[in-house]
């Protein structure tokens, strides 16, 4: 359908260009104006812009994705759905939405960031208004910290000036230089505008392995007590998590004023994944590849994964991170 509409627009536009050479001046001016208007229409049709056509929350889509694609993360799924929905539907938020996602590798932090982007931006992670920063790529040298601070401030200011509803994702926060993230504190605070720019509609997501020990220990304690992981609530983890992150000298959030000033809206824990969740990941990956999900294959893949503690083999060491490569062997 989109291709058909584009063809018709191009056909009319080209026809108008030909007609320019056949009419008298007054008519020519009219046709030229028509051609210019059609040109802008075609440009806007093809190029992403900062408006509701390209940026709009699909709340139902986000809920379905969290339910069907996120496994073993009942706390994270619930928090993210409510936080994102509440923020986007608020026409006058008092500050940007700031989410800090924590847990071991392979538990779904990067993946859920993608789901959020996919259900807000028409272009998803490829949107011009979604920006990903990775510590080792963008901020590799501690000796350049002051330069990084200045660059980061300019990047964020420039992108929010271009589109108020921008999203910024900071991966590997546990590897980020302490103090760097504090340079953007003013943009996350309760200000109406800073130098004429409002940051209130932006979204900031921090991804980190920091705090993973506290989350895992809590999950293990529940398991040892014979309690279901679904009984774990945010209140069982949030305080422990924020303290663990704040006091971790290897974390980009170490002694950060973002925590001290309560600018992080939610510390979102991602629980370690069990065998059954790894099976679900394998089944979902087979479906995504166009294969009919095979429980037997999923079980084989899940059995190949390393679990801990060694004696009980309760939690996957790498979550679902290696599932894609392992499936290549069995399919």
């Amino acid at each position: 359908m989109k291709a058909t509409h584009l063809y018709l627009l191009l056909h009319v536009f080209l026809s108008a260009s030909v007609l320019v050479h056949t009419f008298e001046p007054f008519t020519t001016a009219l046709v030229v104006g028509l051609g210019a208007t059609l040109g802008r229409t075609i440009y806007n049709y093809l190029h992403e812009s900062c408006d509701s056509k390209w940026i709009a929350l699909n709340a139902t889509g986000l809920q379905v994705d969290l339910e069907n694609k996120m496994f073993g993360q009942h706390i994270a799924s619930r928090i993210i759905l409510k936080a994102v929905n509440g923020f986007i539907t608020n026409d006058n938020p008092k500050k940007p939405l700031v989410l800090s996602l924590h847990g071991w590798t392979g538990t779904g932090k990067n993946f859920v960031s993608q789901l959020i982007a996919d259900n807000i931006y028409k272009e998803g992670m490829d949107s011009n208004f979604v920006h990903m920063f990775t510590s080792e790529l963008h901020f590799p040298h501690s000796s350049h910290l002051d330069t990084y601070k200045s660059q980061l401030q300019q990047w964020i200011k420039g992108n929010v000036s271009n589109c108020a509803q921008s999203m910024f994702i900071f991966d590997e926060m546990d590897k980020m230089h302490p103090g760097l993230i504090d340079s953007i504190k003013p943009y996350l605070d309760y200000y109406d505008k800073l130098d004429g720019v409002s940051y209130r509609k932006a979204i900031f997501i921090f991804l980190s392995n920091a705090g993973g020990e506290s989350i895992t220990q809590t999950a293990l304690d529940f398991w040892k007590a014979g309690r279901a992981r679904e009984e774990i609530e945010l209140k069982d983890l949030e305080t422990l998590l924020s303290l663990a992150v704040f006091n971790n000298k290897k974390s980009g959030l170490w002694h950060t004023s973002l925590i001290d000033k309560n600018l992080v809206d939610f510390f979102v824990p991602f629980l370690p994944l069990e065998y059954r969740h790894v099976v679900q990941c394998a089944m979902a990956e087979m479906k995504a590849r166009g294969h009919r999900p095979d429980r037997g294959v999923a079980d084989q893949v899940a059995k190949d994964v390393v679990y801990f503690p060694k004696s009980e083999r309760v939690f996957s060491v790498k979550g679902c991170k290696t599932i894609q490569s392992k499936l290549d062997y069995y399919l």
Side-chain angles (χ1 to χ4, degrees), residues 47-55 121 127-129 159-166:
H47 290 78
E48 184 183 25
S49 55
C50 184
D51 57 42
S52 58
K53 176 185 173 182
W54 296 90
I55 305 174
Y121 302 89
S127 170
N128 292 319
F129 311 122
N159 283 301
V160 174
S161 297
N162 183 43
C163 183
Q165 293 174 291
S166 293

Side-chain angles (χ1 to χ4, degrees), residues 16 18-35:
V18 173
L19 288 172
V20 166
H21 301 288
T22 62
F23 290 122
E24 56 192 60
F26 178 78
T27 308
T28 299
L30 179 63
V31 174
V32 168
L34 175 62

Side-chain angles (χ1 to χ4, degrees), residues 7-301:
Y7 174 78
L8 290 173
L9 285 170
L10 287 172
H11 178 71
V12 175
F13 178 68
L14 292 173
S15 297
S17 299
V18 173
L19 288 172
V20 166
H21 301 288
T22 62
F23 290 122
E24 56 192 60
F26 178 78
T27 308
T28 299
L30 179 63
V31 174
V32 168
L34 175 62
T37 301
L38 284 170
R40 286 193 297 271
T41 301
I42 294 171
Y43 181 87
N44 292 333
Y45 188 81
L46 294 175
H47 290 78
E48 184 183 25
S49 55
C50 184
D51 57 42
S52 58
K53 176 185 173 182
W54 296 90
I55 305 174
L57 175 65
N58 180 357
T60 301
L62 180 58
Q63 181 176 3
V64 170
D65 280 348
L66 290 171
E67 290 175 354
N68 297 333
K69 298 178 181 179
M70 279 284 291
F71 307 115
Q73 304 299 353
H74 65 285
I75 301 175
S77 294
R78 184 169 62 248
I79 295 172
I80 287 167
L81 181 62
K82 289 185 176 180
V84 172
N85 190 41
F87 178 75
I88 296 294
T89 55
N90 183 354
D91 292 330
N92 187 31
K94 300 301 180 185
K95 63 180 290 297
L97 176 63
V98 183
L99 302 175
S100 193
L101 315 186
H102 299 268
W104 286 130
T105 183
T107 52
K109 302 185 298 297
N110 273 287
F111 183 57
V112 82
S113 301
Q114 177 186 324
L115 295 183
I116 294 172
D118 286 346
N119 286 286
I120 295 178
Y121 302 89
K122 188 174 181 179
E123 297 295 303
M125 290 296 292
D126 293 327
S127 170
N128 292 319
F129 311 122
V130 176
H131 312 280
M132 170 78 83
F133 298 97
T134 303
S135 299
E136 293 185 337
L137 177 62
H138 296 101
F139 318 110
H141 307 295
S142 57
S143 59
H144 298 165
L145 185 58
D146 289 338
T147 300
Y148 294 152
K149 287 182 178 181
S150 177
Q151 288 177 341
L152 186 56
Q153 290 173 338
Q154 292 304 313
W155 284 335
I156 291 176
K157 181 179 180 180
N159 283 301
V160 174
S161 297
N162 183 43
C163 183
Q165 293 174 291
S166 293
M167 178 186 291
F168 302 92
I169 303 170
F170 293 84
D171 197 7
E172 300 178 341
M173 282 293 293
D174 47 304
K175 298 177 183 177
M176 187 173 288
H177 307 297
L180 175 57
I181 207 67
D182 267 348
S183 66
I184 66 170
K185 172 190 171 294
Y187 306 145
L188 310 184
D189 216 328
Y190 293 83
Y191 293 115
D192 184 19
K193 289 184 178 180
L194 291 171
D195 294 329
V197 180
S198 174
Y199 297 86
R200 291 185 172 192
K201 292 189 175 182
I203 297 176
F204 293 82
I205 302 178
F206 303 133
L207 313 180
S208 177
N209 291 342
E213 298 91 343
S214 300
I215 298 170
T216 298
Q217 188 58 54
T218 299
L220 196 57
D221 290 343
F222 269 70
W223 180 81
K224 288 180 178 179
R227 300 175 65 182
R229 69 189 280 125
E230 288 74 21
E231 293 182 47
I232 304 174
E233 300 179 16
L234 180 60
K235 65 181 181 181
D236 298 314
L237 291 164
E238 192 168 35
T239 301
L240 281 173
L241 187 54
S242 61
L243 286 173
V245 173
F246 186 77
N247 293 316
N248 186 342
K249 290 186 177 181
K250 295 181 179 180
S251 168
L253 293 171
W254 177 62
H255 283 194
T256 178
S257 59
L258 270 63
I259 297 178
D260 201 27
K261 301 297 182 181
N262 298 309
L263 297 181
V264 177
D265 295 298
F266 292 99
F267 288 93
V268 186
F270 280 70
L271 302 173
L273 301 182
E274 300 174 10
Y275 178 93
R276 57 189 167 119
H277 304 125
V278 177
V279 169
Q280 288 177 303
C281 287
M283 297 282 279
E285 179 62 21
M286 281 186 271
K287 184 177 181 180
R289 294 187 184 190
H291 297 285
R292 182 177 180 180
D294 187 320
R295 178 57 190 258
V297 171
D299 277 323
Q300 284 181 303
V301 171

